[in-house]
mmCIF file of all heavy atoms in Angstrom:
data_model
loop_
_atom_site.group_PDB
_atom_site.id
_atom_site.type_symbol
_atom_site.label_atom_id
_atom_site.label_comp_id
_atom_site.label_asym_id
_atom_site.label_seq_id
_atom_site.Cartn_x
_atom_site.Cartn_y
_atom_site.Cartn_z
ATOM 1 N N THR A 142 21.349 5.132 4.973
ATOM 2 C CA THR A 142 21.875 3.800 5.239
ATOM 3 C C THR A 142 23.290 3.923 5.857
ATOM 4 O O THR A 142 23.800 3.109 6.642
ATOM 5 C CB THR A 142 21.953 2.989 4.005
ATOM 6 O OG1 THR A 142 22.766 3.790 3.012
ATOM 7 C CG2 THR A 142 20.674 2.781 3.440
ATOM 8 N N ARG A 143 23.981 5.109 5.508
ATOM 9 C CA ARG A 143 25.328 5.233 6.197
ATOM 10 C C ARG A 143 25.340 5.346 7.656
ATOM 11 O O ARG A 143 26.268 5.041 8.449
ATOM 12 C CB ARG A 143 26.035 6.517 5.648
ATOM 13 C CG ARG A 143 26.370 6.440 4.211
ATOM 14 C CD ARG A 143 27.235 7.624 3.746
ATOM 15 N NE ARG A 143 26.488 8.828 3.995
ATOM 16 C CZ ARG A 143 26.076 9.712 3.193
ATOM 17 N NH1 ARG A 143 26.432 9.506 1.777
ATOM 18 N NH2 ARG A 143 25.487 10.874 3.447
ATOM 19 N N THR A 144 24.148 5.789 8.242
ATOM 20 C CA THR A 144 23.947 5.995 9.636
ATOM 21 C C THR A 144 23.705 4.570 10.335
ATOM 22 O O THR A 144 24.278 4.329 11.375
ATOM 23 C CB THR A 144 22.808 6.949 9.904
ATOM 24 O OG1 THR A 144 23.091 8.234 9.265
ATOM 25 C CG2 THR A 144 22.617 7.168 11.404
ATOM 26 N N ILE A 145 22.834 3.819 9.688
ATOM 27 C CA ILE A 145 22.422 2.594 10.419
ATOM 28 C C ILE A 145 23.163 1.384 10.128
ATOM 29 O O ILE A 145 23.165 0.382 10.905
ATOM 30 C CB ILE A 145 20.954 2.448 10.340
ATOM 31 C CG1 ILE A 145 20.443 2.135 8.929
ATOM 32 C CG2 ILE A 145 20.224 3.681 10.834
ATOM 33 C CD1 ILE A 145 19.014 1.635 8.928
ATOM 34 N N PHE A 146 23.743 1.271 8.798
ATOM 35 C CA PHE A 146 24.143 -0.065 8.348
ATOM 36 C C PHE A 146 25.447 -0.494 9.127
ATOM 37 O O PHE A 146 25.462 -1.738 9.444
ATOM 38 C CB PHE A 146 24.553 -0.090 6.883
ATOM 39 C CG PHE A 146 23.283 -0.215 6.026
ATOM 40 C CD1 PHE A 146 22.029 -0.383 6.526
ATOM 41 C CD2 PHE A 146 23.382 -0.305 4.612
ATOM 42 C CE1 PHE A 146 20.924 -0.565 5.654
ATOM 43 C CE2 PHE A 146 22.291 -0.615 3.801
ATOM 44 C CZ PHE A 146 21.077 -0.648 4.265
ATOM 45 N N PRO A 147 26.378 0.354 9.420
ATOM 46 C CA PRO A 147 27.610 -0.199 10.245
ATOM 47 C C PRO A 147 27.129 -0.972 11.484
ATOM 48 O O PRO A 147 27.630 -2.098 11.789
ATOM 49 C CB PRO A 147 28.455 1.104 10.489
ATOM 50 C CG PRO A 147 28.059 1.919 9.385
ATOM 51 C CD PRO A 147 26.504 1.687 9.159
ATOM 52 N N ASP A 148 26.286 -0.299 12.277
ATOM 53 C CA ASP A 148 25.880 -1.066 13.549
ATOM 54 C C ASP A 148 25.029 -2.259 13.240
ATOM 55 O O ASP A 148 25.078 -3.265 13.984
ATOM 56 C CB ASP A 148 25.048 -0.068 14.472
ATOM 57 C CG ASP A 148 25.948 1.050 15.102
ATOM 58 O OD1 ASP A 148 27.171 0.843 15.133
ATOM 59 O OD2 ASP A 148 25.350 2.016 15.634
ATOM 60 N N LEU A 149 24.205 -2.209 12.248
ATOM 61 C CA LEU A 149 23.354 -3.297 11.909
ATOM 62 C C LEU A 149 24.258 -4.554 11.558
ATOM 63 O O LEU A 149 23.978 -5.632 12.055
ATOM 64 C CB LEU A 149 22.370 -3.051 10.743
ATOM 65 C CG LEU A 149 21.009 -2.413 11.002
ATOM 66 C CD1 LEU A 149 20.237 -2.180 9.761
ATOM 67 C CD2 LEU A 149 20.116 -3.316 11.956
ATOM 68 N N PHE A 150 25.127 -4.358 10.644
ATOM 69 C CA PHE A 150 25.980 -5.460 10.297
ATOM 70 C C PHE A 150 26.819 -5.936 11.398
ATOM 71 O O PHE A 150 27.214 -7.185 11.397
ATOM 72 C CB PHE A 150 26.792 -5.097 8.943
ATOM 73 C CG PHE A 150 25.986 -5.223 7.682
ATOM 74 C CD1 PHE A 150 25.389 -4.155 7.062
ATOM 75 C CD2 PHE A 150 25.808 -6.514 7.110
ATOM 76 C CE1 PHE A 150 24.812 -4.322 5.944
ATOM 77 C CE2 PHE A 150 25.120 -6.639 5.962
ATOM 78 C CZ PHE A 150 24.619 -5.587 5.413
ATOM 79 N N ALA A 151 27.244 -4.994 12.248
ATOM 80 C CA ALA A 151 28.212 -5.390 13.285
ATOM 81 C C ALA A 151 27.360 -6.125 14.423
ATOM 82 O O ALA A 151 27.883 -6.845 15.240
ATOM 83 C CB ALA A 151 28.898 -4.289 13.937
ATOM 84 N N GLY A 152 26.015 -5.917 14.430
ATOM 85 C CA GLY A 152 25.263 -6.498 15.577
ATOM 86 C C GLY A 152 25.444 -5.764 16.897
ATOM 87 O O GLY A 152 25.229 -6.293 17.947
ATOM 88 N N THR A 153 26.155 -4.558 16.822
ATOM 89 C CA THR A 153 26.331 -3.747 18.040
ATOM 90 C C THR A 153 25.985 -2.382 17.865
ATOM 91 O O THR A 153 25.329 -2.047 16.784
ATOM 92 C CB THR A 153 27.789 -3.907 18.303
ATOM 93 O OG1 THR A 153 28.593 -3.315 17.291
ATOM 94 C CG2 THR A 153 28.408 -5.353 18.533
ATOM 95 N N GLY A 154 26.435 -1.580 18.610
ATOM 96 C CA GLY A 154 26.263 -0.099 18.322
ATOM 97 C C GLY A 154 25.414 0.473 19.408
ATOM 98 O O GLY A 154 24.731 -0.253 20.215
ATOM 99 N N ARG A 155 25.288 1.745 19.412
ATOM 100 C CA ARG A 155 24.477 2.531 20.460
ATOM 101 C C ARG A 155 22.926 2.338 20.091
ATOM 102 O O ARG A 155 22.168 2.563 21.024
ATOM 103 C CB ARG A 155 24.983 3.899 20.526
ATOM 104 C CG ARG A 155 24.614 4.774 19.366
ATOM 105 C CD ARG A 155 25.155 6.140 19.699
ATOM 106 N NE ARG A 155 25.851 6.511 18.536
ATOM 107 C CZ ARG A 155 27.129 6.776 18.586
ATOM 108 N NH1 ARG A 155 27.840 6.714 19.673
ATOM 109 N NH2 ARG A 155 27.845 7.088 17.527
ATOM 110 N N GLY A 156 22.568 2.125 18.882
ATOM 111 C CA GLY A 156 21.178 2.016 18.563
ATOM 112 C C GLY A 156 20.321 3.243 18.359
ATOM 113 O O GLY A 156 19.192 3.339 18.361
ATOM 114 N N PHE A 157 21.124 4.337 18.234
ATOM 115 C CA PHE A 157 20.450 5.661 17.972
ATOM 116 C C PHE A 157 21.471 6.636 17.258
ATOM 117 O O PHE A 157 22.603 6.358 17.464
ATOM 118 C CB PHE A 157 19.843 6.313 19.264
ATOM 119 C CG PHE A 157 20.843 6.476 20.317
ATOM 120 C CD1 PHE A 157 21.608 7.651 20.481
ATOM 121 C CD2 PHE A 157 21.041 5.527 21.363
ATOM 122 C CE1 PHE A 157 22.545 7.858 21.415
ATOM 123 C CE2 PHE A 157 21.979 5.730 22.295
ATOM 124 C CZ PHE A 157 22.740 6.816 22.423
ATOM 125 N N SER A 158 20.933 7.640 16.699
ATOM 126 C CA SER A 158 21.894 8.597 16.042
ATOM 127 C C SER A 158 22.432 9.343 17.126
ATOM 128 O O SER A 158 21.771 9.741 18.156
ATOM 129 C CB SER A 158 21.010 9.573 15.155
ATOM 130 O OG SER A 158 20.454 8.692 14.083
#
Side-chain angles (χ1 to χ4, degrees):
T142 59
R143 293 188 305 240
T144 301
I145 68 169
F146 279 7
D148 287 347
L149 272 179
F150 277 101
T153 61
R155 71 178 129 246
F157 57 89
S158 301

